Amino acid sequence: MRNKAPAEQELDTLRFIADHAPISVGEVAQRYGEPRGLARTTILTVMERLRKKNLLTRTRESGVF
């Protein structure tokens, strides 16, 4: 089964992440989400969708992803 193509907001978020990698969810929420009126939970949801589509990976540092 093929992954669905990313939605527009997912693409915008992915571009921001690519330009600022490596970056944490909190940093994305603060630097990308807040200026656009997006809550941290929204950013987390978008990033998790990207991860499930194999467009984003996460690593564990000090017990936190």
Side-chain angles (χ1 to χ4, degrees), residues 2-63:
R2 288 183 53 187
N3 289 332
K4 291 176 65 177
E8 187 174 336
Q9 185 173 11
E10 292 172 341
L11 273 176
D12 289 343
T13 304
L14 189 58
R15 286 184 189 111
F16 180 85
I17 293 167
D19 289 344
H20 299 89
I23 191 167
S24 69
V25 172
E27 291 170 318
V28 175
Q30 181 181 29
R31 295 169 50 193
Y32 174 81
E34 284 181 13
R36 290 163 180 79
L38 302 172
R40 184 183 186 282
T41 54
T42 301
I43 296 299
L44 182 59
T45 299
V46 170
M47 291 177 73
E48 183 61 19
R49 287 181 186 159
L50 290 168
R51 189 185 69 78
K52 287 181 179 180
K53 292 178 181 183
N54 295 316
L55 297 172
L56 193 63
T57 60
R58 65 182 182 183
T59 57
R60 182 180 287 231
E61 290 187 22
S62 302

